Amino acid sequence: MTTAPTFSSVDASRLMGTYPSQPVRFVKGRGTELFDDQGKRYLDFLSGLAVTSIGHSHPAVARAIATQAERLTHVSNLFATEPGEKLSVMIDDLIGGGGQVFFCNSGAEANEAALKLARKWGGPGRYVVITADRSFHGRTLATLHATGQPEKHAAFEPLPTGFRHVAWDDIGAFEEAISEEVAGVLIEPVQGEGGVRVPSDGYLHLVQELCREHGILFMVDEVQTGFGRTGDWFGFMHHDVKPDVVTMAKALGNGMPIGAMWAREGVASTFAPGDHATTFGGQPLAAAAAISVLEVMTAINAPQKATDSGALLHQGLMKIPAVVSIRGLGLLLAAELAEPKAKDAARAALEAGLVVNAVTDSALRLAPPLNVTRSEVEEAIEILRQVLG
Ligand SMILES: *Cc1c(COP(=O)(O)O)cnc(C)c1O
């Protein structure tokens, strides 16, 4: 006779060591606040890496998830469901209309879909996608190679071919990289993981012009910048451009895993049944969560909140002597420190009750929920002033 196994309650030793040792175990979140297993309170100015953009445990999203979980969670893409259809219309409307949406479960998957779409659209011999140095597009084999950070590549070679990396924000370098084999460009409107780097005015527009001239797909990676974060619905909207393809994920589900790739009419139709698929993509539970996220974001005018609170945060950070400069847009900001001690600063901030991260050796990334309050912004600035002082 076998006995039922018993499961020890808390033990991290059998989690694979893909992440550095984690000092805090969070058990609860509400809005901008997080609480650990000791009952200590924190302000979350990272939002799970720009994911929980309307705050933790948003009641409307929690209700949408619970209601849908009791109605229908999953049926596969062999059948239509209403939440996925409704969400595709909402996303298409936010982007400006005239396109179609493919759903998946993460940012890397959204970019994989875009890379496959570009290859099929390009046809035989046209498969190269141009990406930027210091870009970040995901951790699957293809999106890892798309990612312009060679130090992340070495251990995993050979990587899928078909990528050409060019200097960021350098239109001459981009033009030089164009050849017959190029099918598309994949570019972040603000480089997130690469250090929160905003391109100069006009750069994206010039990229689009060269794409049009050479018949190249202009694909924008909005996985981190999408859904209000930069002060507009999408980062590309700060520039006078109309991408052919937009990929998104992080904030779409406010923590429920969901990603999407939008493509304009004429490009979207490149994919025929059987060309691309994923079991979970667009399933009712994730789609219902995302619908409620977009409803809340629209109701509170999330992009405007990002603009207003971003300005407040920016002003406060400027007054901290150890901060030498600030980069970013809306509520996706990096504070460049006088010394390359961002990791130590992030750890000290955590101890003082503020969650931020070291996006480079010398810069802290701040990405609080878009509905962060004025007093929470002031509290975070005060903590940083003490920690950096
Ligand atoms: C986070 C991120 C990704 C990868 O998303 P995952 O959900 O982690 O696969 C891709 N592109 C950008 C710009 C990102 O910030």
Side-chain angles (χ1 to χ4, degrees), residues 49-51 105-111 135-140 143 147 186-194 221-225 247-250 258-259 365:
L49 296 167
V51 168
N105 316 286
S106 68
E109 280 179 74
N111 286 333
S135 62
F136 184 83
H137 299 295
R139 298 288 199 156
T140 61
T143 61
T147 292
L186 180 63
I187 199 156
E188 297 160 273
V190 177
Q191 285 194 334
E193 301 307 300
D221 181 344
E222 294 270 4
V223 171
Q224 187 155 161
T225 47
T247 58
M248 59 208 101
K250 290 193 164 97
I258 181 167
R365 171 171 37 183

Side-chain angles (χ1 to χ4, degrees), residues 225-234 297 302-304 306-307 330-331 370:
T225 47
F227 303 108
R229 175 63 51 194
T230 64
D232 213 330
W233 280 107
F234 290 93
M297 283 187 168
Q304 187 62 47
T307 301
L331 277 176
L370 309 184

Side-chain angles (χ1 to χ4, degrees), residues 296-315:
V296 170
M297 283 187 168
T298 307
I300 66 173
N301 195 352
Q304 187 62 47
K305 285 206 179 307
T307 301
D308 296 345
S309 297
L312 192 68
L313 184 55
H314 196 287
Q315 281 162 23

Side-chain angles (χ1 to χ4, degrees), residues 92-384:
D92 186 47
D93 284 349
L94 285 181
I95 291 179
Q100 290 178 308
V101 179
F102 171 84
F103 286 115
C104 53
N105 316 286
S106 68
E109 280 179 74
N111 286 333
E112 282 275 350
L115 296 171
K116 279 181 70 177
L117 186 77
R119 285 192 178 199
K120 185 158 187 233
W121 180 85
R126 261 180 98 213
Y127 58 91
V128 170
V129 172
I130 299 175
T131 62
D133 289 342
R134 311 313 300 162
S135 62
F136 184 83
H137 299 295
R139 298 288 199 156
T140 61
L141 287 171
T143 61
L144 178 63
H145 202 186
T147 292
Q149 302 185 38
E151 70 278 9
K152 289 188 164 71
H153 298 164
F156 304 102
E157 281 163 358
L159 292 168
T161 53
F163 296 97
R164 209 166 276 171
H165 302 110
V166 300
W168 170 240
D169 199 18
D170 178 342
I171 197 65
F174 178 70
E175 187 163 18
E176 246 168 63
I178 296 172
S179 69
E180 293 283 291
E181 301 86 55
V182 175
V185 55
L186 180 63
I187 199 156
E188 297 160 273
V190 177
Q191 285 194 334
E193 301 307 300
V196 188
R197 298 184 200 280
V198 184
S200 44
D201 283 349
Y203 173 68
L204 281 190
H205 195 262
L206 290 171
V207 168
Q208 172 177 278
E209 270 183 10
L210 284 170
C211 286
R212 299 280 187 267
E213 191 182 314
H214 294 270
I216 294 170
L217 283 186
F218 178 46
M219 308 194 288
V220 175
D221 181 344
E222 294 270 4
V223 171
Q224 187 155 161
T225 47
F227 303 108
R229 175 63 51 194
T230 64
D232 213 330
W233 280 107
F234 290 93
F236 76 78
M237 292 175 172
H238 294 278
H239 309 269
D240 179 24
V241 294
K242 268 179 164 295
D244 298 310
V245 174
V246 179
T247 58
M248 59 208 101
K250 290 193 164 97
L252 178 54
N254 206 53
M256 182 64 90
I258 181 167
M261 173 191 64
W262 175 95
R264 71 168 168 80
E265 200 183 339
V267 175
S269 55
T270 303
F271 274 166
D275 279 335
H276 197 52
T278 167
T279 300
F280 293 126
Q283 51 106 290
L285 188 64
I291 288 168
S292 78
V293 171
L294 297 188
E295 282 170 351
V296 170
M297 283 187 168
T298 307
I300 66 173
N301 195 352
Q304 187 62 47
K305 285 206 179 307
T307 301
D308 296 345
S309 297
L312 192 68
L313 184 55
H314 196 287
Q315 281 162 23
L317 290 170
M318 297 254 284
K319 293 190 189 129
I320 300 176
V323 174
V324 295
S325 63
I326 295 151
R327 299 188 292 271
L329 275 180
L331 277 176
L332 180 58
L333 296 177
E336 187 69 30
L337 307 179
E339 290 180 81
K341 290 186 174 161
K343 280 208 176 82
D344 295 341
R347 208 168 303 126
L350 187 68
E351 247 161 63
L354 177 69
V355 182
V356 292
N357 94 313
V359 72
T360 67
D361 289 343
S362 58
L364 291 175
R365 171 171 37 183
L366 295 106
L370 309 184
N371 53 357
V372 64
T373 65
R374 172 175 279 267
S375 68
E376 286 165 344
V377 170
E378 284 162 0
E379 193 185 340
I381 289 165
E382 195 44 46
I383 292 173
L384 282 176

